[in-house]
Amino acid sequence: MGISRRGFIKASAVTGATVAGLSANKPMLTAFSETDKKEQIAESGKWLASTCQGCTTWCPVQVYVENGRAIKVRGNPNSKGNHGKICPRPHLAIQQLYDPDRVKVPMKRTNPKKGRNEDPKFVPISWEEAIDAVTDKMMELRKSHETHKFALFRGRYTGAADIFYKALPTIFGSPNNISHSAICAEAEKLGPYVTEAFWDYRDYDLEHTRYVIMWSTDPVSSNRQVPHAISMFGKVLDQAKVAVIDPRLSATASKADEWLPVIPGQDGALVSAIAHVILKEGIWNREFVGDFKDGENLFAKGSAVDEAAFEENKTYGIVKWWNLELKDRTPEWAAEISGVPAEQIYRVARDFAEAAPRAISWLAPGSAMQIRGGYTSMGAHALNALVGSIENIGGTNRGEKVPLESIPELDSYLDEIAKKGKKHEKIDQRGRIQFPAFAKGELHKGVVTNNVADGILNEDPYDIKMAIGYWNNFVFSCTGAQRWEKAMEKIPFYVHITVNPAEMTQYADIVLPACHQLFERWGVIKSKQNMNAYGSIQQPVIEPLWDCKVDETEIGWLIAESFAKKGFSNLYDYYRNEFTDPETGKKATNEKEFNLVATKFLSKKLWDPSEEKKGDQISSWQEFVDVGVWNAKRTPYKKHWEEGFETASTKFEFYSETLKGLLDEHAKGHNTSIDKVMEAMKYEARGDLAFVPHYEEPIRYGDEKEFPLIFTEHRSRLNREGRSANTTWYQEFKDADPGDEKWDDVIKINPIDCKKYGVKSGDRVKVTSVQGSIEVTVKEWEGTRPGVAVKCYGQGHWAYGRIATMDYQKKIARGGNNNEILPSDYEHLSGSTARHGGIARIKIEKI
Amino acid sequence: MTKYGMVIDLHKCVGCSGCSIACKNENNVDTGMFWAHYFHETKGSFPNVNYKYVPTLCNHCEDAACVRVCPTQAMYKDENGLTLHDPDKCIGCKSCMQACPYGVINFNKNKPHRRWEETAAAIKGGTATSKELQERTGQELPYYNADRAFTYEGIRSKGIVEKCTFCDHRIKDNLRPYCVESCPADARTFGDLDDPSSDINKVLAQYSSQVLKPEKGTKPRVFYVRG
Amino acid sequence: MYLIDKEVKEMDFHAYWDYRVALDLFLGGVGIGVFLLAAYFSLVFKEKSFKVTRLGFIIAPVLVGLGVFALLTELGKPFRMLSTFINVNPTSVTSWGGFLQTIFILLSFVIFLVVWKYKQNAYQMSLFKGLVIAGSVFALAVGIYHGLLLMSLGVAGWANGLIPVMFLVSSILSGSSVLMVVEAVFMRSIIGRGKEVYSETAASSDAQVFTYSKLLVSLVGIQALLILTWRISLNSAGTEAIIAYQNLISHFGVYWWILVVAIGLVIPLTIAGYSTLKKIKMNFYTAMIFTAVVLIGSYAFKHIILYSGQIPLAGL
């Protein structure tokens, strides 16, 4: 056929013959005319570079654009990180972009009452009116010297985050820039920090590894480095052994060599037992750890060892660790607690150590984001040190620096009001005795996101009078969600910058439509995977569909402009003066220009011809836009073996002097002892035990008799951080998550328990914990341990759109939000929200 | 002679469903229909559980049952061994769907993508509507892929069937079928079975392979290795 | 509510060939059954059967025509039905369907016109005989085609050699019963006389005597035997066949046993068997009841076989 069907129909009148299907000729695949051939080559449109933020791998991608429409997405072949691969999520982004439920214009609330069952009665307004309303309220706070009662909530962000998230509150005069990090994965970063002073996600040398222990890591489904993990996994299984520690049979576990179906919250027991075996059987890596001075292994079950007998090489505190914790932690002991057979623990420990140094202990939020998960985080990471895989071939690695600029210094733009306002205690109460909340090595620097709700509700340290939130949805995404519903009712004026009308939007007074991160904005992101760090561009591959603006730059600018008109020009001055286009030397004159100028400013070192680059040699902005990604040099091995680690002892610390120092400082700041701090943080350890990885008993809410099942949750391979449930493709392919069902949100329970409670697959049940109830469908599934109930996170939306909900107008949820049954509690060292570890016990009742 | 086939490496495949989603994107397939799909089985009892995920698609059988039973020869084999569908000849009798042992043929009971004609908004005046998106993009389906229309109806009509065509609109330009292209695990290999040096033959030579339901006698051309 | 949920809320299984196809199989079957018995009467009893066969020859094509119409409404593109005369596929039984049914309808209608024009004289015409024989061939072909179509698709629940036979016998049974009722209703006045005529003829010569009861009890008996044989054959026809049957029972079990077996086989067997054994004629009301239960049983049989064959088997 030379022309398309549609073309044919349009070009000629529809004849009866065609209608009756009377054409008897077979269509010929190759019957093209010469001119037609040129017009009909597949993929003759353009592939434009951008970055996907469906999870925090942040993969460089390309978008296929034809006639101003974005049609499909693929990986950016220029990226060494994901080397042209993507996981399923970026495909869903197309449906997000063209989601009919997107907010298309700014809106204002006309129903003064706020509540889950209140209809905000939004009406469309202009950007001018919207920004005016926002700045009016903010100027009021300036006048009354209550600038600290303004909060900025950050959800998903880009490299330009600080332009909005830091500059706005700081210059305005509020200490309350609240990020979402604590509901994300901060406890995972805790382990590497207190041991090797590396507060970040790690990269893994999968290509060369021979053994991987995955601590609730499911990298073929979700965070992190998903496309690379998927791409590598076949090879990894060929060359290496994979052991997955996870309460449920995840996709990774189903393909792994070993599945250790740990009872939720008991991961710490496995850590200690594995370390015990490695030391007791003398199979640790001598090169990294060192050895007994006379070569005889004195690590014997039950006996303490003299520290002087061991000479450590790159590590510090191995004997302390043994003496304080490991000496009695046998696999037999761990088997009883964790539900994993002792012989499996022995086997995993031995195989892991045998593969050294090409052995990875891959820590993920599942094992760390638990109330007492800080030490699991530390210990799971420390296992890497035992086998010498820190910064080593086939092991756990860091990443080269991607030189994105920081925003210019703010101090000279702070007036008296701002300086005073900043000094107030933050609304998340970080720094209080139970929240040392250290991040990147600094005490009280880590956000305690979820606690903001309590701060607001209790007006402690003070009430919040106004907040702006962007790309966040705490009412849905925080445990103890009901508290956020109440807290949002309390905030008198809330502005939500969002793509869809989410749960949190329902409490907003002003709604500002955001441009979609992948398709409609300039931005720059940095990340790493496959032993390659990179800086990746985001660009508007199409004209924004609606009257939306870019959150961090355009809206920041509009607010600043509006402030200036009302007599407060500091922010506007900052934006105008400090950001210059490195190519043209010009400054921005409007918000659109500002988005571009800021992006060029921040990414300058990646493409500016005058900059020396330790990686790809890109020599112009346009080249960076075309290529889409700047690759750093491949991550080198053993960098800190020579240089020393930035810990207190310059070694890899099994006994963390680093942690001790921080806790000491924190305790002194509260005129108390570290032990008292440990108590306030709900940890069992006292004394020196607090500085080594050790087993802590999990805390569970709910009494076993009334709530017989332990609830545990996991992520979906199709979740775009909780934003994709409103796409048909998410719903249609939901059963790609092992055990789940299409168009439904099921709680997966072992058939033995189903029989016990008289339910079967397809039954509707009410799931109740001490926190609340949800109503979902049951699924009988063998991939769940008896006594445990597993449910995926991401559904249970009562807002967001008409596919994510069962009924948007009536606020009837599709499925149930796990956060309505998970109570709010923390891993207090990092301030992370504890959503794992079987924190909630539940009961199920057939409806 | 060209004889196209595909081999899927179940060891590399992690069951992400990326191929199935990408296929819908590439071929403008409506909600509820699948040109590329999968089945999965959970066997055993805790903790000895086995979860298997097998991607499926039209097997472009040598002795295709759908071609055998189609009254109007709307289902036909082309010179490259593809099992293709003529949307103009199809009378929508669905004999092909009954005969296909693999359930890979879909029927358009209604006009596809009707939901894009929806005129109601979640928030009146505040959120968009499907209709607005149609108007804004000038397309029935906002992310409509025009490439599909080069060799088949870009969006099919009510009353006819549709199924995978091995992306004949792409392979004519030496591009691989989109599922093959999109797979992050490189689990799919496509090529000419009659070409001894093709990649597909290399894989088939390396591993023992299986097809789905060989007892049906359809001689499928989609092979599975390392299952 | 959003369009999506309506489309996607799936039933237990989706039968693409639904009641409209069942109606085609049923009405078409009754139609050819009526024709076949009418053809027999017209060849054997010739002009004596004028009144009843004249009705038979018009009822048959109307019923088959209605069946084809029901089928047309089921097609995705009904108007393209005409194309099946040009775009032909010899390996597709579906392809033959249009031809066979169209030719049958035309033949039967022409026969009706001949009878309507020439009345009793028609029955002696060799053209008439030729047409009737041709019509019978096509009637049989259509009757076999119904079950053959299902069998040819390779579907587990339909891939059994007895399916075409059971459908044919069911069709002849229902058609014959309908013709019996037609005769009873329209020729009430001549029933007695007609039958007496037959009996008189019998008494005076060696000519055949026709009793509906004998024919019908034979047909029901044969059908019951076929169904029993079919059920037994499933045990050794492979796992898929057994699973398909189990699906039939789990979805339609009650209807199968009550409508198809009890009402559709046991009751008519009893009625006709009693009449045959006692050598008495069925009276009008008995004949009506007999036909009613046979028709219920025949429709239920075809409907259940059609639907249950489309229940997806586990696995793929």
Side-chain angles (χ1 to χ4, degrees), chain A residues 376-479:
Chain A
T376 312
S377 174
M378 188 183 174
H381 190 67
L383 292 180
N384 288 301
L386 288 183
V387 294
S389 71
I390 302 287
E391 290 189 313
N392 208 344
I393 184 167
T396 171
N397 283 270
R398 303 190 180 196
E400 287 294 89
K401 190 162 146 57
V402 177
L404 292 186
E405 294 284 355
S406 315
I407 58 170
E409 160 276 300
L410 293 162
D411 285 344
S412 41
Y413 293 86
L414 301 181
D415 63 12
E416 281 312 306
I417 299 174
K419 285 187 188 145
K420 257 181 142 171
K422 250 175 45 80
K423 288 211 177 84
H424 285 88
E425 188 187 354
K426 287 187 195 262
I427 188 65
D428 67 350
Q429 302 177 350
R430 72 182 86 166
R432 295 207 179 168
I433 184 171
Q434 75 273 30
F435 290 129
F438 57 87
K440 290 202 179 82
E442 257 183 72
L443 262 187
H444 316 158
K445 191 172 146 96
V447 66
V448 192
T449 314
N450 209 356
N451 202 39
V452 171
D454 295 307
I456 291 173
L457 285 170
N458 300 324
E459 295 188 15
D460 178 12
Y462 42 81
D463 57 320
I464 290 291
K465 289 209 155 120
M466 179 188 173
I468 299 177
Y470 80 97
W471 278 82
N472 66 332
N473 193 15
F474 297 155
V475 173
F476 179 81
S477 56
C478 286
T479 55

Side-chain angles (χ1 to χ4, degrees), chain C residues 162-227:
Chain C
L162 288 176
I163 293 280
V165 188
M166 292 191 290
F167 271 67
L168 177 66
V169 171
S170 182
S171 301
I172 297 177
L173 172 60
S174 4
S176 306
S177 314
V178 166
L179 199 60
M180 170 179 77
V181 161
V182 162
E183 186 180 325
V185 168
F186 288 96
M187 280 145 286
R188 255 192 136 140
S189 53
I190 64 163
I191 272 186
R193 215 190 313 149
K195 288 246 168 19
E196 279 161 19
V197 168
Y198 297 158
S199 311
E200 274 173 31
T201 320
S204 63
S205 75
D206 290 322
Q208 298 153 305
V209 178
F210 183 79
T211 35
Y212 275 103
S213 317
K214 252 205 206 146
L215 169 71
L216 296 172
V217 77
S218 312
L219 287 171
V220 180
I222 290 171
Q223 182 71 333
L225 201 63
L226 287 172
I227 290 182

Side-chain angles (χ1 to χ4, degrees), chain A residues 100-151:
Chain A
D101 293 329
R102 275 182 74 179
V103 182
K104 62 177 181 176
V105 288
M107 304 191 293
K108 106 174 152 188
R109 178 188 207 88
T110 55
N111 173 5
K113 286 197 267 169
K114 293 185 182 181
R116 178 159 169 166
N117 295 315
E118 289 288 343
D119 175 1
K121 298 211 170 85
F122 288 124
V123 295
I125 56 174
S126 69
W127 271 98
E128 207 183 317
E129 194 189 328
I131 296 289
D132 213 33
V134 173
T135 51
D136 269 350
K137 273 281 180 277
M138 291 178 82
M139 290 305 290
E140 270 174 35
L141 292 175
R142 285 223 120 220
K143 275 203 189 70
S144 59
H145 292 252
E146 289 179 302
T147 53
H148 58 288
K149 297 193 178 180
F150 164 80

Side-chain angles (χ1 to χ4, degrees), chain A residues 739-752:
Chain A
D740 280 357
E741 296 285 333
K742 293 181 194 297
W743 291 94
D744 206 349
D745 187 27
V746 297
I747 185 163
K748 298 182 279 287
I749 303 180
N750 189 288
I752 295 173

Side-chain angles (χ1 to χ4, degrees), chain A residues 154 157 179-204 224 363 368-369 373-375 377-378 381 390-391 396-399 430 435-449 526 528 640 645-647 652 656 658-659 662 683 827-833:
Chain A
R154 181 189 83 181
Y157 58 92
S179 77
H180 78 283
S181 308
I183 61 170
C184 186
E186 295 307 82
E188 185 195 319
K189 298 174 185 168
L190 174 68
Y193 181 73
V194 300
T195 50
E196 57 168 310
F198 181 59
W199 179 274
D200 199 353
Y201 295 117
R202 282 78 52 216
D203 200 349
Y204 300 99
R224 276 172 105 247
L363 173 64
M369 305 280 278
Y375 292 99
S377 174
M378 188 183 174
H381 190 67
I390 302 287
E391 290 189 313
T396 171
N397 283 270
R398 303 190 180 196
R430 72 182 86 166
F435 290 129
F438 57 87
K440 290 202 179 82
E442 257 183 72
L443 262 187
H444 316 158
K445 191 172 146 96
V447 66
V448 192
T449 314
K526 64 178 173 182
K528 57 180 182 286
H640 291 82
F645 295 92
E646 281 139 2
T647 52
F652 185 99
S656 181
T658 312
L659 177 58
L662 285 165
Y683 276 109
E827 191 296 300
H828 291 79
L829 287 166
S830 59
S832 297
T833 279

